[in-house]
Amino acid sequence: MTTTPAPAPPRAATTTGPAIELAGITRHFGTGSKLVRAVDGIDLTIGRGEIVALLGPNGAGKTTTLDMLLGLSTPDTGQVQVLGSPARRAVASGRIAAVLQTGGLLPDLTVAETVQVIAGLHGAKPRIDDVMQLAGLTDIARRRVGKCSGGEQQRVKFALALLPDPDVLVLDEPTAGMDVKARRRFWNTMRESADAGRTVVFATHYLEEAEQFARRTVVMDRGRIVADGETAHLRAALGGRTVSATVPDTDARSTIADELRRAGADEVRVDGTRLTARTTASDELAAQLLAAGATDLEITAPTLESAFTDLTED
Ligand SMILES: Nc1ncnc2c1ncn2[C@@H]1O[C@H](COP(=O)(O)OP(=O)(O)OP(=O)(O)O)[C@@H](O)[C@H]1O
């Protein structure tokens, strides 16, 4: 039996309330001395249209969290709501879809055939052309999936996830194994999709992806959320900024370096005429250096990599 899908309601017309709500979620594996608390009490609310990076080291609990979000596993305790419904109902109605690390594609089908078969199952044939284009697959439509690179296969999975026109898209390390060019291409495509108002949650090990793509970053470690905020704020709030300048005047250089050390600035270094320090008062230090005749002033924010290391270190 074939069914014609009802036209999707405009995204803005769906009910109000958050896209995702996790309340008091826990999930463990094993027992006794082998007990692993993969998710150890997570509360997380994600609004509609937000793009959120879930960042954390191996084993932090990201995949376990996303699996519960997708109804693939059930929390031991706590509630998962997606667009106001239990996760499984949201998945069944195509309102949430995912690009996961696991889950194979059939290698003997071409890219176009793969998309057509799944579109048939979803009753989404009218969306095939749009989705092929959005996922950047038009040029490789006739290639067998088995001959596609890792990055191209991820784009095929992305296309399949877009077929039901989901409101929420979940991506678990979608660019793992892609080279820099493929990664950039993937995120450009994703950005277009997100601009259409979708909520996007992605787990990543690539810290620059969180910086470039997500306004909000949730950092997980050992099953817990250890930081949650605007990606730029998270970066700036942690560790201040590194200020570096050439200070030709020897007395001024050593006076400023001594003052910085007394004030508790980190990593105060003097290499020849170059003075470098990490401080939370970077504007004040920059003004002081310029007043002392400094040149070649540089101020750099820490990378998320170093912010993340600071956060997750004991
Ligand atoms: N099915 C399972 N059986 C036993 N332990 C599991 C199972 N799934 C996950 N774990 C454990 O739960 C913890 C969290 O794993 P999870 O895969 O959620 O982390 P992650 O943050 O996604 O890691 P990665 O970045 O490596 O994918 C890890 O210690 C992992 O070994």
Side-chain angles (χ1 to χ4, degrees), residues 114-167:
T114 303
V115 175
Q116 280 156 8
V117 166
I118 304 296
L121 294 176
H122 280 293
K125 287 195 168 165
R127 286 184 46 74
I128 290 176
D129 287 349
D130 279 358
V131 159
M132 291 283 291
Q133 190 136 19
L134 249 179
L137 296 178
T138 315
D139 291 346
I140 56 165
R142 291 152 72 110
R143 192 170 301 168
R144 286 196 192 288
V145 168
K147 299 272 180 213
C148 289
S149 69
E152 288 163 349
Q153 292 196 11
Q154 284 300 84
R155 294 217 306 277
V156 174
K157 286 193 197 173
F158 176 50
L160 301 183
L162 287 180
L163 277 171
D165 196 16
D167 294 296

Side-chain angles (χ1 to χ4, degrees), residues 35-301:
L35 182 81
V36 177
R37 292 187 201 286
V39 173
D40 195 12
I42 282 190
D43 294 295
L44 181 65
T45 302
I46 294 176
R48 291 170 194 238
E50 272 198 279
I51 299 177
V52 178
L54 198 55
L55 194 65
N58 285 322
K62 305 181 296 293
T63 299
T64 308
T65 304
L66 296 184
D67 280 353
M68 289 188 281
L69 193 55
L70 292 162
L72 296 172
S73 70
T74 311
D76 299 330
T77 60
Q79 303 283 328
V80 180
Q81 293 264 301
V82 178
L83 300 161
S85 305
R88 277 188 200 160
R89 198 181 309 156
V91 174
S93 63
R95 299 187 73 197
I96 180 167
V99 177
L100 299 178
Q101 295 184 57
T102 50
L105 298 163
L106 296 172
D108 292 334
L109 293 188
T110 65
V111 167
E113 286 164 351
T114 303
V115 175
Q116 280 156 8
V117 166
I118 304 296
L121 294 176
H122 280 293
K125 287 195 168 165
R127 286 184 46 74
I128 290 176
D129 287 349
D130 279 358
V131 159
M132 291 283 291
Q133 190 136 19
L134 249 179
L137 296 178
T138 315
D139 291 346
I140 56 165
R142 291 152 72 110
R143 192 170 301 168
R144 286 196 192 288
V145 168
K147 299 272 180 213
C148 289
S149 69
E152 288 163 349
Q153 292 196 11
Q154 284 300 84
R155 294 217 306 277
V156 174
K157 286 193 197 173
F158 176 50
L160 301 183
L162 287 180
L163 277 171
D165 196 16
D167 294 296
V168 182
L169 202 51
V170 172
L171 310 149
D172 193 2
E173 295 178 35
T175 61
M178 290 188 200
D179 62 23
V180 174
K181 208 169 135 204
R183 221 183 290 165
R184 192 173 305 133
R185 186 160 179 202
F186 181 85
W187 284 113
N188 283 342
T189 322
M190 275 301 309
R191 192 170 279 121
E192 279 173 40
S193 171
D195 285 347
R198 261 182 252 283
T199 307
V200 179
V201 183
F202 65 99
T204 181
H205 279 201
Y206 297 108
L207 306 175
E208 70 272 22
E209 287 187 345
E211 276 185 291
Q212 286 167 12
F213 190 67
R215 184 171 296 168
R216 177 176 170 197
T217 295
V218 174
V219 183
M220 280 188 78
D221 187 40
R222 282 167 276 184
R224 291 168 182 259
I225 292 175
V226 294
D228 177 358
E230 278 197 31
T231 310
H233 285 177
L234 190 70
R235 228 175 59 148
L238 285 154
R241 282 161 199 261
T242 299
V243 179
S244 172
T246 301
V247 189
D249 184 300
T250 312
D251 287 344
R253 201 165 55 235
S254 56
T255 304
I256 295 174
D258 288 345
E259 279 175 14
L260 283 166
R261 289 191 186 102
R262 272 200 301 277
D266 286 334
E267 298 168 23
V268 181
R269 285 196 315 274
V270 177
D271 305 308
T273 55
R274 192 96 189 144
L275 188 150
T276 304
R278 205 165 94 161
T279 173
T280 47
S282 53
D283 289 349
E284 290 83 345
L285 176 57
Q288 189 184 9
L289 287 165
L290 291 172
T295 56
D296 299 323
L297 179 75
E298 279 177 3
I299 303 179
T300 47

